Coordinates of all heavy atoms in Angstrom, one line a residue:
T170 N 36.7 17.3 -33.0 CA 36.2 18.1 -31.8 C 34.9 17.4 -31.4 O 34.1 17.0 -32.2 CB 35.9 19.5 -32.3 OG1 37.1 20.0 -32.9 CG2 35.6 20.4 -31.1
C171 N 34.7 17.3 -30.1 CA 33.5 16.6 -29.6 C 32.3 17.5 -29.8 O 32.3 18.7 -30.0 CB 33.6 16.2 -28.1 SG 33.3 17.5 -26.9
R172 N 31.1 16.8 -29.7 CA 29.9 17.5 -30.0 C 29.6 18.7 -29.0 O 29.2 19.7 -29.4 CB 28.8 16.4 -29.8 CG 27.4 16.9 -29.6 CD 26.9 17.7 -30.8 NE 25.6 18.2 -30.4 CZ 24.5 17.9 -31.1 NH1 24.5 17.2 -32.2 NH2 23.3 18.4 -30.7
F173 N 29.9 18.5 -27.7 CA 29.7 19.6 -26.8 C 30.5 20.8 -27.1 O 30.0 21.9 -27.1 CB 30.0 19.1 -25.3 CG 29.8 20.2 -24.3 CD1 28.6 20.4 -23.8 CD2 30.9 21.0 -23.9 CE1 28.4 21.4 -22.9 CE2 30.7 22.0 -23.0 CZ 29.5 22.2 -22.5
C174 N 31.8 20.6 -27.4 CA 32.7 21.7 -27.7 C 32.3 22.4 -29.0 O 32.3 23.7 -29.1 CB 34.1 21.3 -27.7 SG 34.7 20.7 -26.1
Y191 N 35.5 23.5 -20.5 CA 35.1 22.2 -20.1 C 34.8 21.3 -21.3 O 34.2 21.7 -22.3 CB 33.7 22.3 -19.3 CG 33.0 21.0 -19.2 CD1 33.6 20.0 -18.4 CD2 31.8 20.7 -19.9 CE1 32.9 18.7 -18.2 CE2 31.2 19.5 -19.7 CZ 31.7 18.5 -18.9 OH 31.1 17.3 -18.8
C192 N 35.4 20.1 -21.3 CA 35.2 19.2 -22.4 C 34.7 17.9 -21.7 O 35.4 17.3 -20.9 CB 36.4 18.9 -23.2 SG 36.2 17.6 -24.4
P193 N 33.5 17.3 -22.1 CA 33.0 16.1 -21.5 C 34.0 14.9 -21.6 O 34.0 14.1 -20.7 CB 31.7 15.8 -22.2 CG 31.4 17.1 -22.9 CD 32.6 17.9 -23.1
L194 N 34.8 14.9 -22.7 CA 35.7 13.8 -22.9 C 36.7 13.7 -21.8 O 37.2 12.7 -21.5 CB 36.3 13.8 -24.3 CG 35.3 13.8 -25.5 CD1 36.1 13.6 -26.8 CD2 34.3 12.7 -25.3
K446 N 39.4 22.8 -32.0 CA 39.9 22.2 -30.7 C 40.1 20.7 -31.0 O 39.3 20.1 -31.7 CB 38.8 22.5 -29.7 CG 39.1 22.2 -28.3 CD 38.0 22.7 -27.4 CE 38.1 22.2 -26.0 NZ 37.0 22.7 -25.1
C448 N 39.6 17.2 -29.2 CA 39.1 16.5 -28.0 C 39.4 15.1 -28.1 O 39.3 14.5 -29.2 CB 37.6 16.7 -28.0 SG 37.0 18.4 -28.0
Ligands
ZN1 ZN1 35.3 18.5 -26.3

Side-chain angles (χ1 to χ4, degrees):
T170 310
C171 82
R172 160 63 183 241
F173 178 84
C174 292
Y191 166 70
C192 172
L194 300 189
K446 191 170 168 182
C448 304

